[in-house]
Amino acid sequence: ASGLSVKNYCAQEGIAVATLHYWRKCFAEAVKHQPTGTRTEGFLPVTLTTVQPCVPPVEIHLLSGRRLKLTAPMDAGWLHTLVRVLESPCG
């Protein structure tokens, strides 16, 4: 819709041409596989808001050398699971 060539559009937006083609194909496949009654035309409105952290960031240093920097309150169970997965041999 911009009137630019794919190459020029990608250069303007700072993305690789292959990346644009990949996502165009993914979206086309997703639309193709939707049941007929669920397709929507155009886009739905989205409202973005800025989240202001109410607590100072917390940085957790894991034994693996990874660091987690949390800027919002986290559910303790979710955080425990995340740390356990990241510290597991396969994480």
Side-chain angles (χ1 to χ4, degrees), residues 50-70:
T50 303
V51 176
Q52 297 295 328
C54 56
V55 295
V58 173
E59 193 164 336
I60 301 170
H61 297 260
L62 303 174
L63 296 173
S64 63
R66 295 179 172 129
R67 298 184 317 186
L68 300 175
K69 189 171 186 177
L70 307 174

Side-chain angles (χ1 to χ4, degrees), residues 18-32:
T19 301
L20 176 69
H21 288 303
Y22 169 81
W23 284 110
R24 287 175 73 183
K25 181 179 177 185
C26 286
F27 289 131
E29 289 293 319
V31 169
K32 186 169 73 172

